[in-house]
């Protein structure tokens, strides 16, 4: 949240992926997280009539990635000035 110290941010989120500093010495921390996922779905239909039997089934696999980028800008006192983020899934 706004006003949080750099040490509190590091404790909560860990080390940032990127640290930049502008010409005034103000720091921006960038956290970039990527998660891959896979899900497997299988459905079956079974039937038996006297001597005849049969089965039918289908399976599908879905894979993708989710990304989250968090940008934390600090003020001259090393307190959070602003936070922005972007997430995507593909």
């Amino acid at each position: 949240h706004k006003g949080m110290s750099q040490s509190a941010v590091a404790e909560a989120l860990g080390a940032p992926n990127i640290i930049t500093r502008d010409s005034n010495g103000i720091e921006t921390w960038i956290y970039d997280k990527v998660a891959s996922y896979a899900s497997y779905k299988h459905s079956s239909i079974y039937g038996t009539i006297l001597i005849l039997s049969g089965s039918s089934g289908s399976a599908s696999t879905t894979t993708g990635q989710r990304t989250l980028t968090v940008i934390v800008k600090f003020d001259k006192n090393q307190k959070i000035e602003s936070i922005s983020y972007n997430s995507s899934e593909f």
Side-chain angles (χ1 to χ4, degrees):
H1 60 82
K2 193 171 181 177
M4 195 174 195
S5 69
Q6 285 183 338
S7 60
V9 173
E11 186 176 317
L13 300 178
N17 297 87
I18 300 170
I19 297 175
T20 63
R21 189 182 303 265
D22 69 12
S23 59
N24 296 322
I26 304 297
E27 284 190 12
T28 299
W29 292 5
I30 301 171
Y31 292 87
D32 196 17
K33 305 296 180 185
V34 178
S36 298
Y37 65 89
S39 68
Y40 178 77
K41 182 178 179 181
H42 184 290
S43 61
S44 300
I45 301 172
Y46 295 97
T48 303
I49 301 176
L50 297 173
I51 300 176
L52 298 174
S53 69
S55 68
S56 175
S58 65
S60 65
T61 302
T62 304
T63 60
Q65 286 190 328
R66 292 183 180 128
T67 66
L68 176 63
T69 303
V70 178
I71 301 168
V72 182
K73 293 187 178 193
F74 295 94
D75 62 18
K76 62 183 177 181
N77 298 316
Q78 299 181 340
K79 305 284 185 189
I80 292 179
E81 180 177 285
S82 67
I83 302 170
S84 59
Y85 69 93
N86 183 46
S87 63
S88 63
E89 185 172 347
F90 50 94

